[in-house]
Amino acid sequence: MFGLGFGEILLIAVVALVVLGPERLPRVARSAGLWVGRIQNFINNVKTELSEQTGVAEFRQARDSIEAAARSFELDVNNNVRSIRGEVDALKRQIATDEAAETETKMNFSEPLHYSGTNLSDAPLVHRVSLHRQAIQRRRDMRPRHRITPKLRIRRHG
């Protein structure tokens, strides 16, 4: 443990025997053994705590990298949705102008037809509900529905 060889331990034991005497040496050796055991136990606890903390740090790092990947994925999806909405709106305008031109040439209408679809650019891109809120909603859904039932009491006159 401390890098002591057999000869050094033997020298310490002889000095302790001379200084303490044969009566007190067993008690001192026992208490020294208990202290060494406590110190080793403390060191082991510190080591396990440090290993748990490094595990927590690794978990946090993994969580952060997953969240960053999710954010970048969400941004990519939102950008793709915006570009698709822009293309859809352009196609709607072109279809509306083509239909207007076609109906104008066929029926000689002076007023073009307008497409009455909803504007997709006003809709929210991606709706996210937190996992905590989802868990709360599942717990609410799993709760039994309590019905108030009247309790009939009979009074006895005695």
Side-chain angles (χ1 to χ4, degrees), residues 4 31 33 38 143:
L4 298 176
S31 64
R38 288 180 185 168
R143 273 192 225 152

Side-chain angles (χ1 to χ4, degrees), residues 139-147:
R139 275 191 236 127
R140 282 186 191 142
D141 292 343
M142 296 299 291
R143 273 192 225 152
R145 304 286 183 226
H146 296 289
R147 293 188 184 102

Side-chain angles (χ1 to χ4, degrees), residues 44-156:
N44 287 336
N45 288 340
V46 168
K47 283 181 183 178
T48 57
E49 185 70 27
L50 287 176
S51 67
E52 288 175 4
Q53 290 298 326
T54 56
V56 168
E58 290 172 359
F59 174 74
R60 286 182 183 154
Q61 184 181 9
R63 182 195 63 193
D64 292 342
S65 66
I66 289 171
E67 285 177 353
R71 279 193 293 273
S72 68
F73 179 73
E74 181 181 6
L75 287 174
D76 290 343
V77 167
N78 287 340
N79 290 336
N80 290 338
V81 167
R82 282 189 191 106
S83 67
I84 290 172
R85 284 183 181 166
E87 292 175 11
V88 167
D89 288 340
L91 285 174
K92 284 180 185 177
R93 284 191 298 272
Q94 184 165 351
I95 289 172
T97 57
D98 288 348
E99 286 178 355
E102 194 174 301
T103 56
E104 193 172 304
T105 58
K106 283 186 180 177
M107 297 184 194
N108 243 350
F109 283 121
S110 62
E111 208 173 289
L113 294 176
H114 295 286
Y115 181 75
S116 63
T118 61
N119 189 2
L120 291 178
S121 62
D122 295 337
L125 295 179
V126 175
H127 178 69
R128 290 191 325 186
V129 178
S130 69
L131 295 175
H132 179 68
R133 288 193 186 269
Q134 289 176 7
I136 289 173
Q137 187 60 40
R138 278 195 298 270
R139 275 191 236 127
R140 282 186 191 142
D141 292 343
M142 296 299 291
R143 273 192 225 152
R145 304 286 183 226
H146 296 289
R147 293 188 184 102
I148 299 174
T149 56
K151 294 184 178 181
L152 301 176
R153 295 185 182 174
I154 299 172
R155 292 189 179 184
R156 295 183 184 167

